[in-house]
Amino acid sequence: MNANKKHVPGLVYWPQGESFEEARERYRRQHGFDLPPDGHVVQLVAVDSSRGGNNRELSPQEFKEACAG
């Protein structure tokens, strides 16, 4: 890592698991401050990559079932 490079906070979330607003609140609780305006946001999208799934985006219910095991 370059010591001269500025660290920029980031937020990663799954939209099927929580809304952006919920993710920002989780960030605030975890770190004790709001996500800065220049903070990076990464939105991960879960898809069904099975042969029959055709890489379609999972619904929130399907996402919860997949995460449950």
Side-chain angles (χ1 to χ4, degrees), residues 41-60:
V41 176
V42 176
Q43 183 185 66
L44 302 174
V45 177
V47 297
D48 180 352
S49 59
S50 68
R51 181 168 285 162
N54 294 325
N55 292 324
R56 66 174 177 76
E57 188 173 328
L58 294 180
S59 71

Side-chain angles (χ1 to χ4, degrees), residues 1-67:
M1 177 186 252
N2 185 344
N4 297 326
K5 197 171 189 180
K6 179 185 172 199
H7 173 74
V8 178
L11 170 66
V12 177
Y13 77 104
W14 297 87
Q16 290 99 334
E18 62 185 341
S19 69
F20 177 64
E21 291 75 22
E22 291 168 332
R24 282 186 11 192
E25 181 56 36
R26 176 177 48 82
Y27 182 94
R28 185 179 304 115
R29 285 192 316 271
Q30 287 178 333
H31 301 286
F33 56 89
D34 290 336
L35 180 68
D38 63 343
H40 297 278
V41 176
V42 176
Q43 183 185 66
L44 302 174
V45 177
V47 297
D48 180 352
S49 59
S50 68
R51 181 168 285 162
N54 294 325
N55 292 324
R56 66 174 177 76
E57 188 173 328
L58 294 180
S59 71
Q61 181 62 34
E62 290 172 314
F63 177 76
K64 288 176 184 163
E65 290 170 5
C67 289

